[in-house]
């Protein structure tokens, strides 16, 4: 039986081990190091979800760069609200700069569409998106993803920065919501 955890009222089963995640992060960083050499990019990390991916990615990015953070929120429980709230905004001047958005997951694409739109108004040279997870079946918007870690099915996941109601962000592996209810859930605690 696969390791299972319970978070509040829901059961989750392990689906992606941390070793696999780190392999893909390394591959993404190597590509970024090649593509963006000489551009001195500004990495813009989308909090809260992307904090763990960003830390792993930036440890492997070896070109001169800067890192900053914005805080957005769109999810409530296990579903998107369709509206994106900006909780902490951008302070840097990005005019003429190469910007790389660092995101945990692209689901409907609403967050990335809105972010690209508001960044473009500040006249950067170019904006790239680096997202670790991508759910192609959930996408509702046209967004170009430059760097993608893993394509995943349209299931709700937690771990590696992603949460259910604020919990589960600290898990290093990825867990997927189990569809069956009333199952015995063995806590890993
Ligand atoms: P989008 O705007 O629908 O693309 O959603 C983006 C945001 O929703 C992500 O940055 C996550 O914070 C959150 N999100 C999307 N899918 C999941 C999931 O499966 N688990 C936890 N959070 C998710
Ligand atoms: Mg996010």
């Amino acid at each position: 039986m696969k390791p299972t955890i319970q978070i509040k009222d829901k059961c989750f089963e392990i689906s992606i081990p941390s070793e696999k995640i780190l392999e893909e992060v390394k591959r993404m960083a190597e590509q970024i190091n090649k593509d963006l050499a000489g551009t001195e990019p500004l990495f813009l990390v989308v909090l809260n979800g992307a904090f763990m991916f960003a830390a792993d990615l930036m440890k492997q990015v070896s070109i001169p760069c800067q890192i900053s953070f914005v805080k957005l929120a769109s999810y409530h429980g296990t579903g998107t609200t369709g509206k994106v709230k900006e909780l902490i905004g951008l302070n840097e001047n990005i005019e003429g700069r190469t910007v790389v958005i660092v995101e945990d997951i692209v689901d409907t694409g609403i967050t990335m569409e809105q972010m690209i739109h508001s960044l473009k108004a500040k006249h950067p040279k170019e904006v790239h998106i680096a997202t670790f997870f991508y759910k192609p079946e959930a996408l509702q918007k046209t967004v170009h993803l430059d760097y993608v870690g893993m394509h995943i099915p349209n299931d709700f996941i937690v771990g590696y920065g992603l949460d259910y109601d604020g919990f589960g962000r600290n898990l290093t592996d990825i867990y997927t919501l189990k569809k069956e209810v009333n199952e015995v859930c063995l806590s890993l605690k």
Side-chain angles (χ1 to χ4, degrees):
M1 203 175 129
K2 285 187 183 173
T4 305
I5 54 164
Q6 178 157 5
I7 300 178
K8 298 182 116 179
D9 58 329
K10 302 210 184 309
C11 263
F12 294 83
E13 191 175 73
I14 197 161
S15 53
I16 307 168
S18 66
E19 298 76 29
K20 170 72 180 154
I21 294 173
L22 293 175
E23 251 172 52
E24 300 303 331
V25 172
K26 187 158 180 270
R27 174 185 55 77
M28 292 174 82
E30 283 166 0
Q31 194 62 49
I32 288 171
N33 288 334
K34 264 194 217 145
D35 293 352
L36 303 184
T39 69
E40 298 195 345
L42 171 69
F43 288 88
L44 211 48
V45 180
V46 184
L47 296 174
N48 292 329
F51 79 96
M52 209 179 269
F53 167 48
D56 287 338
L57 182 75
M58 298 320 300
K59 284 187 262 183
Q60 309 269 349
V61 167
S62 52
I63 56 174
C65 63
Q66 293 177 320
I67 307 169
S68 190
F69 301 86
V70 291
K71 182 166 176 172
L72 306 177
S74 67
Y75 251 61
H76 183 75
T78 60
T80 180
T81 59
K83 294 195 193 77
V84 185
K85 275 193 287 185
E86 188 180 271
L87 305 177
I88 300 175
L90 176 68
N91 296 316
E92 281 75 11
N93 176 8
I94 59 165
E95 198 177 328
R97 296 210 54 185
T98 294
V99 176
V100 183
I101 300 171
V102 180
E103 175 66 309
D104 51 358
I105 185 165
V106 173
D107 182 43
T108 62
I110 293 170
T111 308
M112 282 304 95
E113 186 190 55
Q114 179 169 317
M115 196 163 166
I116 293 271
H117 180 80
S118 64
L119 289 178
K120 289 254 163 96
K122 299 177 199 293
H123 310 291
K125 182 176 168 223
E126 53 189 349
V127 181
H128 301 281
I129 298 177
T131 182
F132 191 74
F133 293 107
Y134 170 40
K135 293 181 185 170
E137 293 157 35
L139 196 69
Q140 296 172 14
K141 303 284 176 185
T142 315
V143 283
H144 178 75
L145 306 176
D146 301 87
Y147 306 99
V148 177
M150 299 181 75
H151 289 215
I152 57 165
N154 193 10
D155 298 321
F156 187 77
I157 58 170
V158 292
Y160 201 60
L162 293 149
D163 70 302
Y164 167 51
D165 230 3
F167 290 92
R169 294 193 195 276
N170 55 314
L171 300 165
T172 53
D173 304 305
I174 287 291
Y175 290 78
T176 299
L177 180 64
K178 287 182 93 166
K179 291 187 178 83
E180 312 84 54
V181 281
N182 295 332
E183 262 188 88
V184 184
C185 221
L186 303 169
S187 178
L188 289 182
K189 270 182 270 172

